[in-house]
Amino acid sequence: MANGYQSWSTSFAGADESSVFERPNRFYHELTRLGLASDMHIFQYPGGKGRVHSNLVTVIRDKCLEPSSPHTVRRPEEAVLCGSLSENDGFTYFLMDMAQSRLTIAQDCVGKKLRSRDDKLALRTFFSWGDKDTAVWDAYATAWRSMHQDRRCILSSTENQLCGWTSWYLHYENINEHVVLDHLSHFTGSGHLLSGNSHGDGSGNGWPAKVFQIDDGYTVVGDWLDYNLGKFPRGMAFIADQVRSKGLIPGLWLAPFLASKTSKIVSHYPDWFLKTPPCGNPSLCTFEENVHVKKLGWDRVQDTHCCFGFHKEGYPRSASNRSPSSSSTTYEMMLTHPAFSGAYALDLENAEVRSHLAHVFRVVTQEWGFKMLKLDFLFAAAQVARNGKTRGQLMWEAMQMVRSWAGPDTVLLGCGVPLGSSFMVVDYCRIGCDVGASWDTTQRHFHDREYISCVNSLTSTLSRWALSGRFFGNDPDVFFIRDWRMGLTLAERKTLMLLNHLLGHLIFCSDPFDTSRMSSEQQTLLSLFHPWTSTPGANATIGHEVHRVLQPLPQHSDVYTIQVQGGKDKQCMFILVANLSSRAQYVGLNVMDRIISQEQMSMQPEHALSTKGSSVYFNADTGQLGSSAAAYWIKPRETSVFLRVMDSAGRFCGPNASISRAGYGPAMLKSVRVDEPVYLVATKGGHVLPTTEVKSFERNATYQDRLTIQFWPSMFTRTVTIWLAWQSSSKVNKRWTLNGQPLEFCPQVILGSGMNLTKCTLCVHPQI
């Protein structure tokens, strides 16, 4: 895993000896200046094959290959984690030279001044390894917590997902009071989305939103308290009150460390902003000579032009060779990002700036009443090392100040921030770039790791999944349901929606949630994810847990396999295969299934039968059963879900129908003799994770051929096909029913297991 510099920077799970981290295109970045959001001014990308670098943390593991011979040992399940514990002192880099099998750890110490003999600069690194990714990451989180304070508002923010609506991807800056209130009208007083089966009192089963967030467009960036009265005549406090009346948390977007060059604060207080000589470099912007380039394995460390984000040839200049500063030198405000007609960075080392921002946060949270803040472009605090502090130290102190200004009861969402500085400070954090309304763009070819696209965002979501639930709740950005003003196909929208729900803990959407105007296709897409397994308010007592995400296979570019455990009592095991590439590919489940089988053997040694056979999986796309040894055709940009139906030892993995308790006491139930176990095999048409929509599966104690199944409440009517199985040697009773409907017996037997299949199709109506 090669972790990117900040929230938007691409992270790669499958970097290997063939990977090349290209040097960013000089002319592209000179033209766009988008490189200002990257670490180009901190670290020179090597640009050589097999020489990769990772910020903050990295994970090393074997490739996902079948052994080439019986003596070849490959253990892709074993992960070795190397993580920094000293981001408060400086940004940490892990440099891997695959050809030399060398790992080097370096810290950006530029600007650090040791003020006394007792002053120290320590590089603290944590190592952990094991067969379980979750345990390795848990150990890192524990080590981090032992050294740094957990200041989150919601310490349990990762136990449940937080759903919400945001204005950005539908309206961008074109928002006003009317637009906001119109979208708000589609939510009930309990925060649920109004749907065809919902009552006006909020007792329906709509999408359970918790946050309603207003994004950029209510003011000029930097003039936060001087909002646009033409757009919001009744003020921002009025908007927050209206949001609360719907049972939702009011959220507001801020970029606290930036100001547009057109803002009043720039013209009134120019001394508050970072300065740079018009044709020179800020004095402290590169690795110092104490990090010798040959030790890192790169050709050279290059100097930096901080205004434009690209490098000059040569070694870093010593302090004696830098341009001398004098009172006669003219300094200009340093461009921090080209957004907002050009944005400048506030100097947080200035006491007046800190006082100003503290006042802004107090008004927004206490007087206006916004209790959820999305804080964007936070990397601006670390553009230049100064006052004897490194960039990392400045970034760390800035995030600590933000938490103090916001208060302990405000939910913080960090965005555009170096991740280590936000660990256990923000409640949620963006872990990828903006998704945009297209799958990919030409910016990919200019080696821009922060460029906006769906595939770039998902690549980081799949690589940084393990941060969620440990350091903050992951925000993978929004999903889309709409099919207008949209460049994503239905398959691409489904992949985005599935991976965001699966790997994120903050789930936002920007679409208009007027369900009465949704097409049948849109309703079907939304109903596949309702109720989600860990969404509070969905009336579900089930949850899901991601065990591991294996990096792309060498022969399968941009293909990821994900192991997920979920369903009632987490009885169900799923393998998801995400094909982010633009070509269809055959993918097998063998590697991941072998890992699952080994884990089950270690957990239940008394049942450790031979696992040399193949497990049976249900393909949710086709509704077919197949072997783990088979190769499955995964279409471009699609994610296929496979439910483990039978393990390699021939045991069914699904729930067995329980005896209905209706009319029976505990003693009577114990005396009931079960003729034969009946298993719930799979479902299709109900939920994107098959069988997780099932609330109960029971059989009548007296008439055991009468089966009943109950589903969790849904938003729309849907048709669900249910597959059941039992021993084929028993006498087939044609009168068996499910919810009063006769069962249709299937001719096939599951891989010679002696089990018969039967199925039934039910129309499931929304429950009021």
Side-chain angles (χ1 to χ4, degrees):
M1 170 193 174
N3 185 53
Y5 166 59
Q6 51 111 332
S7 301
W8 311 336
S9 307
T10 315
S11 292
F12 301 95
D16 59 15
E17 68 273 5
S18 64
S19 299
V20 179
F21 281 15
E22 296 283 359
R23 294 187 176 96
N25 185 281
R26 180 187 185 103
F27 300 104
Y28 166 80
H29 287 287
E30 182 176 1
L31 177 66
T32 66
R33 304 189 182 184
L34 292 174
L36 293 171
S38 74
D39 59 351
M40 293 165 56
H41 62 291
I42 301 176
F43 181 77
Q44 171 61 37
Y45 286 28
K49 182 178 292 187
R51 294 192 295 178
V52 299
H53 68 277
S54 183
N55 303 69
L56 173 65
V57 63
T58 187
V59 174
I60 304 170
R61 68 194 327 147
D62 280 344
K63 290 183 179 179
C64 299
L65 293 174
E66 292 292 342
S68 56
S69 70
H71 305 290
T72 303
V73 178
R74 287 197 178 274
R75 292 177 51 80
E77 67 272 23
E78 185 173 53
V80 178
L81 181 148
C82 317
S84 168
L85 294 175
S86 55
E87 293 301 283
N88 55 316
D89 288 330
F91 295 136
T92 303
Y93 281 80
F94 295 90
L95 316 172
M96 175 64 80
D97 190 330
M98 304 290 183
Q100 300 294 326
S101 298
R102 178 186 300 163
L103 174 67
T104 304
I105 306 173
Q107 188 175 58
D108 176 21
C109 304
V110 171
K112 181 65 178 178
K113 292 183 179 179
L114 302 181
R115 303 184 185 280
S116 69
R117 181 175 296 179
D118 297 328
D119 198 2
K120 298 178 181 178
L121 182 64
L123 175 60
R124 299 181 296 274
T125 310
F126 178 82
F127 290 86
S128 179
W129 57 91
D131 290 347
K132 296 183 182 296
D133 286 40
T134 51
V136 169
W137 282 97
D138 285 343
Y140 182 34
T142 300
W144 185 280
R145 189 179 290 106
S146 69
M147 300 191 66
H148 305 293
Q149 182 182 0
D150 191 340
R151 302 189 64 190
R152 288 174 290 176
C153 166
I154 309 175
L155 295 181
S156 60
S157 62
T158 53
E159 293 180 3
N160 292 302
Q161 286 178 329
L162 189 66
C163 298
W165 185 88
T166 176
S167 62
W168 180 247
Y169 288 97
L170 184 61
H171 299 287
Y172 296 96
E173 299 97 338
N174 303 313
I175 59 171
N176 55 47
E177 183 177 297
H178 172 75
V179 168
V180 169
L181 296 182
D182 179 61
H183 284 285
L184 194 58
S185 67
H186 298 301
F187 293 87
T188 71
S190 63
H192 282 65
L193 170 68
L194 282 169
S195 60
N197 61 298
S198 294
H199 294 294
D201 60 1
S203 60
N205 301 304
W207 188 61
K210 294 296 179 184
V211 175
F212 190 91
Q213 185 242 318
I214 299 166
D215 215 280
D216 184 20
Y218 64 92
T219 187
V220 176
V221 171
D223 298 335
W224 305 114
L225 304 184
D226 188 16
Y227 55 84
N228 190 324
L229 281 171
K231 289 185 171 186
F232 296 90
R234 286 181 281 189
M236 302 306 293
F238 168 78
I239 295 296
D241 286 339
Q242 295 301 302
V243 173
R244 272 192 300 274
S245 71
K246 291 290 188 176
L248 298 165
I249 301 172
L252 191 66
W253 177 89
L254 296 169
F257 304 151
L258 283 185
S260 167
K261 64 170 61 174
T262 64
S263 64
K264 295 177 182 178
I265 190 174
V266 167
S267 60
H268 292 171
Y269 303 99
D271 292 340
W272 285 7
F273 294 87
L274 293 178
K275 305 295 191 301
T276 184
C279 297
N281 292 8
S283 59
L284 296 173
C285 291
T286 58
F287 274 14
E288 296 282 20
E289 287 105 330
N290 59 353
V291 182
H292 196 277
V293 293
K294 291 184 179 179
K295 294 181 180 178
L296 303 182
W298 315 133
D299 295 333
R300 61 180 60 191
V301 174
Q302 296 180 328
D303 203 2
T304 318
H305 194 304
C306 275
C307 289
F308 297 95
F310 54 82
H311 302 268
K312 297 179 179 179
E313 295 297 328
Y315 288 88
R317 291 175 296 172
S318 65
S320 60
N321 292 330
R322 292 191 175 103
S323 301
S325 60
S326 67
S327 58
S328 61
T329 303
T330 301
Y331 288 87
E332 297 179 351
M333 280 181 277
M334 189 177 73
L335 182 69
T336 303
H337 200 269
F340 320 117
S341 302
Y344 302 133
L346 287 161
D347 184 2
L348 297 181
E349 294 295 287
N350 186 320
E352 292 181 352
V353 171
R354 296 195 298 270
S355 178
H356 163 72
L357 289 177
H359 174 67
V360 169
F361 275 81
R362 183 188 62 79
V363 171
V364 169
T365 59
Q366 298 179 29
E367 295 184 17
W368 292 357
F370 288 93
K371 289 301 181 181
M372 185 271 188
L373 300 180
K374 177 183 176 181
L375 306 177
D376 211 346
F377 291 84
L378 296 175
F379 63 85
Q383 290 297 89
V384 181
R386 57 197 183 278
N387 288 0
K389 300 176 181 179
T390 66
R391 300 179 186 90
Q393 185 178 356
L394 290 166
M395 190 71 247
W396 182 274
E397 292 177 356
M399 294 307 297
Q400 296 296 321
M401 285 188 281
V402 160
R403 171 49 77 186
S404 298
W405 296 333
D409 60 343
T410 301
V411 179
L412 295 182
L413 164 60
C415 189
V417 60
L419 297 185
S421 309
S422 63
F423 277 5
M424 300 185 186
V425 177
V426 299
D427 303 282
Y428 300 94
C429 191
R430 175 75 71 78
I431 43 82
C433 65
D434 286 13
V435 294
S438 60
W439 185 258
D440 206 358
T441 71
T442 57
Q443 285 177 279
R444 166 191 286 266
H445 304 296
F446 296 103
H447 317 305
D448 181 351
R449 290 182 68 175
E450 290 77 26
Y451 80 98
I452 297 172
S453 84
C454 190
V455 68
N456 195 29
S457 176
L458 289 176
T459 299
S460 292
T461 297
L462 286 158
S463 302
R464 289 168 164 170
W465 68 273
L467 298 177
S468 203
R470 295 169 178 86
F471 302 98
F472 41 57
N474 279 6
D475 169 23
D477 209 9
V478 304
F479 65 89
F480 298 104
I481 299 173
R482 71 178 191 261
D483 53 8
W484 45 274
R485 290 171 58 185
M486 171 56 51
L488 298 176
T489 66
L490 176 63
E492 291 166 351
R493 280 178 279 146
K494 184 179 177 182
T495 286
L496 176 65
M497 200 168 177
L498 175 55
L499 296 180
N500 282 11
H501 275 74
L502 194 71
L503 304 174
H505 276 92
L506 183 66
I507 309 300
F508 270 0
C509 187
S510 270
D511 290 346
F513 267 129
D514 185 352
T515 56
S516 64
R517 298 184 179 181
M518 286 184 181
S519 65
S520 59
E521 183 184 81
Q522 292 170 331
Q523 291 184 1
T524 300
L525 179 60
L526 184 58
S527 64
L528 284 174
F529 294 86
H530 183 269
W532 188 249
T533 57
S534 59
T535 300
N539 299 321
T541 58
I542 54 180
H544 76 273
E545 180 182 1
V546 179
H547 286 250
R548 56 178 51 84
V549 176
L550 294 184
Q551 61 265 45
L553 310 179
Q555 68 272 33
H556 298 300
S557 175
D558 292 329
V559 174
Y560 299 77
T561 53
I562 311 165
Q563 179 190 352
V564 181
Q565 192 170 8
K568 190 175 183 180
D569 300 323
K570 296 186 178 178
Q571 289 182 299
C572 304
M573 189 68 74
F574 301 91
I575 294 178
L576 282 75
V577 181
N579 180 10
L580 303 188
S581 73
S582 298
R583 61 185 180 89
Q585 303 188 56
Y586 278 108
V587 180
L589 309 179
N590 251 359
V591 173
M592 188 69 86
D593 182 69
R594 177 179 58 81
I595 295 172
I596 295 172
S597 298
Q598 290 175 344
E599 288 180 343
Q600 291 185 336
M601 289 176 62
S602 63
M603 294 173 61
Q604 298 176 321
E606 68 276 13
H607 300 297
L609 304 180
S610 172
T611 60
K612 294 182 179 179
S614 299
S615 301
V616 180
Y617 282 84
F618 174 80
N619 187 335
D621 293 328
T622 64
Q624 300 292 319
L625 296 170
S627 166
S628 59
Y632 295 90
W633 184 248
I634 312 298
K635 296 180 181 179
R637 303 170 182 177
E638 287 195 357
T639 299
S640 294
V641 179
F642 297 88
L643 169 65
R644 199 170 194 242
V645 171
M646 181 180 289
D647 65 19
S648 56
R651 297 186 295 262
F652 261 93
C653 304
N656 178 15
S658 60
I659 297 296
S660 174
R661 302 180 66 90
Y664 289 83
M668 296 178 64
L669 282 175
K670 290 181 180 180
S671 65
V672 174
R673 178 180 176 274
V674 178
D675 293 338
E676 54 199 347
V678 180
Y679 297 95
L680 174 63
V681 177
T683 59
K684 180 175 173 59
H687 199 278
V688 69
L689 298 180
T691 72
T692 61
E693 75 275 35
V694 175
K695 183 177 182 180
S696 65
F697 177 46
E698 298 178 331
R699 64 196 304 181
N700 188 289
T702 304
Y703 304 99
Q704 294 189 17
D705 55 0
R706 300 178 184 178
L707 306 172
T708 58
I709 191 169
Q710 284 187 308
F711 298 91
W712 295 108
S714 62
M715 293 182 64
F716 309 103
T717 298
R718 51 191 177 185
T719 301
V720 183
T721 301
I722 303 101
W723 281 266
L724 308 176
W726 56 77
Q727 287 290 339
S728 60
S729 59
S730 61
K731 184 178 179 180
V732 174
N733 188 336
K734 296 292 186 181
R735 294 175 300 175
W736 280 32
T737 62
L738 179 65
N739 288 14
Q741 299 292 321
L743 297 179
E744 174 189 346
F745 288 89
C746 304
Q748 72 263 39
V749 175
I750 303 177
L751 295 182
S753 65
M755 302 294 291
N756 262 346
L757 273 180
T758 182
K759 69 178 181 179
C760 180
T761 300
L762 302 175
C763 185
V764 181
H765 298 281
Q767 301 175 19
I768 300 178

